[in-house]
Amino acid sequence: MVLVTGGTGLVGAHLLLHLIENDETKVRALYRNSNYITKTKLLFDLYKKSHLFSKIEWVQADILDVPSLEIAFQNIDYVYHCAASISFNPNDEDQLRKVNIEGTANIVNFCIAKNIKKLCHVSSIAALGDLAQNEKVISETSEWNPEILHSDYAISKYGAEMEVWRGFQEGLPVVIVNPGIIFGPGFFNQGSGAFFTSIKKGFPFYTNGNSAYVSVIDVVKIMTTLMKSDCSGERFIVISENITYKKIIFTIANKIKASKPRIEAKPWLLAIAWRLDWLISSIFRTKRKISKHATQSILNKDLISNEKIKSYLNYNFQEIENYLDTMLLHFKN
């Protein structure tokens, strides 16, 4: 039997659908609140696969609640760990570390105790190393530099990977995937889906920084292929392309017939913005909307390599612009 954590999120929900469609009939998924299951059900409806939803065995559990995990891990052979907390709000540091590091440590401990055959951990490009002086592209071998300022989210995902490698050293077969920004339908009010809703409302700013993007379909296909392979003790960057934020925003604006942003958010403007946001948040106790780390991220111009996974699996990624057309069809609905 296969266990999926984070089954009510973008990757986890698509993974559940992919597993069931490909005859993994015994699939168990964790949920914390029954209301969250609705999001996964709606995704199955979106793909007109409602009849497959009933094949999921849902178990109420939390990766921070050890007793509930004891029940969830009964008769499990393989584990996909997709659950994580994502935030670039500095006030969420404790939550990020607790969920992403302590939660992953719990999953790893149960995998070892229950003799799980293999664990697939979904990490992030945020956990990758930093460019050295002699490097032009970040790859799986780039080393993490603790002297460079990283976001709390990046640190928490890097810490989660350390827990997975600990499990590997203790004999647990593992594979780690590091996706970029993941595009996929069904979650248009959060994550990458917010690109569409924000641009439709008239997002005024763009930057010439870049990031790496990938479709959720590519992510789950690669995850399941790696789990069925003999591969263990490896991590793979899972991205399709490095694209500037300007190009992504303008492309989406064209496709949904929205106004293109006209203002380039230059470093000095963003420096003022995050300081002003901090001040307002401090005075009125409101949630941060933009942080120093977030501004650094959208100005970043480092390139990331996908050569390892392309070579290892002889894999061809979907072009992001073409996949955005698929996203658009679902967004209209």
Side-chain angles (χ1 to χ4, degrees):
M1 178 176 277
V2 173
L3 176 66
V4 176
T5 73
T8 58
L10 175 64
V11 174
H14 278 87
L15 176 62
L16 289 171
L17 177 58
H18 182 79
L19 289 170
I20 295 171
E21 279 188 308
N22 289 274
D23 298 325
E24 290 281 1
T25 52
K26 295 183 178 180
V27 178
R28 182 180 296 163
L30 305 187
Y31 74 94
R32 288 183 299 155
N33 186 316
S34 59
N35 292 331
Y36 297 157
I37 298 177
T38 304
K39 293 191 294 184
T40 305
K41 175 65 167 61
L42 289 173
L43 184 77
F44 276 60
D45 295 344
L46 190 68
Y47 283 106
K48 303 188 186 306
K49 303 288 184 180
S50 303
H51 60 287
L52 298 177
F53 183 77
S54 61
K55 294 187 176 182
I56 304 170
E57 179 188 328
W58 291 97
V59 173
Q60 188 169 17
D62 190 317
I63 62 174
L64 295 175
D65 181 30
V66 172
S68 68
L69 290 177
E70 181 67 45
I71 298 171
F73 267 82
Q74 295 299 318
N75 303 315
I76 294 297
D77 298 305
Y78 297 92
V79 175
Y80 290 91
H81 181 38
C82 308
S85 178
I86 303 174
S87 174
F88 291 95
N89 186 340
N91 296 332
D92 293 336
E93 177 184 1
D94 291 341
Q95 178 192 356
L96 287 167
R97 290 175 181 263
K98 191 168 185 66
V99 173
N100 294 345
I101 300 177
E102 182 182 327
T104 300
N106 289 338
I107 294 297
V108 168
N109 291 339
F110 269 95
C111 285
I112 295 171
K114 300 296 184 180
N115 294 315
I116 297 303
K117 295 178 181 179
K118 198 170 187 178
L119 165 67
C120 177
H121 172 65
V122 181
S123 186
S124 166
I125 56 171
L128 296 174
D130 304 286
L131 280 178
Q133 290 185 347
N134 62 333
E135 291 182 321
K136 295 183 179 180
V137 180
I138 294 174
S139 70
E140 290 84 354
T141 59
S142 299
E143 294 187 7
W144 177 277
N145 186 348
E147 296 182 1
I148 292 178
L149 194 63
H150 298 91
S151 70
D152 294 322
Y153 172 68
I155 292 170
S156 72
K157 293 300 286 183
Y158 177 76
E161 287 193 15
M162 294 303 101
E163 292 296 336
V164 176
W165 292 130
R166 171 181 63 81
F168 178 66
Q169 291 173 349
E170 295 183 35
L172 173 66
V174 304
V175 64
I176 295 176
V177 293
N178 295 80
I181 296 176
I182 304 171
F183 277 123
F187 294 78
F188 286 107
N189 292 318
Q190 63 189 71
S192 63
F195 273 91
F196 284 78
T197 50
S198 297
I199 294 169
K200 183 179 180 181
K201 292 177 181 177
F203 194 71
F205 301 102
Y206 69 88
T207 78
N208 284 306
N210 61 258
S211 191
Y213 299 83
V214 65
S215 78
V216 69
I217 304 302
D218 283 332
V219 175
V220 299
K221 283 182 178 179
I222 287 171
M223 288 169 63
T224 53
T225 302
L226 290 172
M227 282 289 269
K228 291 178 180 179
S229 73
D230 294 329
C231 176
S232 180
E234 297 284 349
R235 74 198 292 229
F236 296 91
I237 295 171
V238 179
I239 66 164
S240 173
E241 304 168 63
N242 294 275
I243 309 175
T244 65
Y245 287 102
K246 179 180 179 179
K247 182 177 180 180
I248 282 288
I249 293 171
F250 279 39
T251 299
I252 293 175
N254 281 334
K255 290 182 182 297
I256 65 176
K257 295 180 172 54
S259 299
K260 296 177 184 177
R262 297 181 178 181
I263 305 172
E264 180 183 352
K266 294 188 176 181
W268 65 267
L269 181 61
L270 289 169
I272 294 173
W274 75 257
R275 287 176 171 86
L276 184 61
D277 181 68
W278 171 83
L279 182 62
I280 294 172
S281 174
S282 300
I283 295 173
F284 296 102
R285 302 295 179 185
T286 55
K287 189 174 182 179
R288 294 287 299 275
K289 294 181 175 62
I290 186 170
S291 67
K292 181 179 180 180
H293 294 299
T295 61
Q296 289 176 333
S297 174
I298 60 178
L299 291 171
N300 174 63
K301 293 188 177 182
D302 292 343
L303 298 178
I304 299 175
S305 171
N306 62 1
E307 289 303 316
K308 181 178 178 180
I309 190 64
K310 285 171 64 178
S311 175
Y312 191 86
L313 295 181
N314 191 27
Y315 193 85
N316 293 314
F317 285 91
Q318 297 186 60
E319 291 186 4
I320 293 302
E321 184 166 353
N322 292 337
Y323 188 69
L324 288 176
D325 290 329
T326 301
M327 290 278 292
L328 179 59
L329 292 175
H330 293 299
F331 182 67
K332 287 181 177 179
N333 292 331

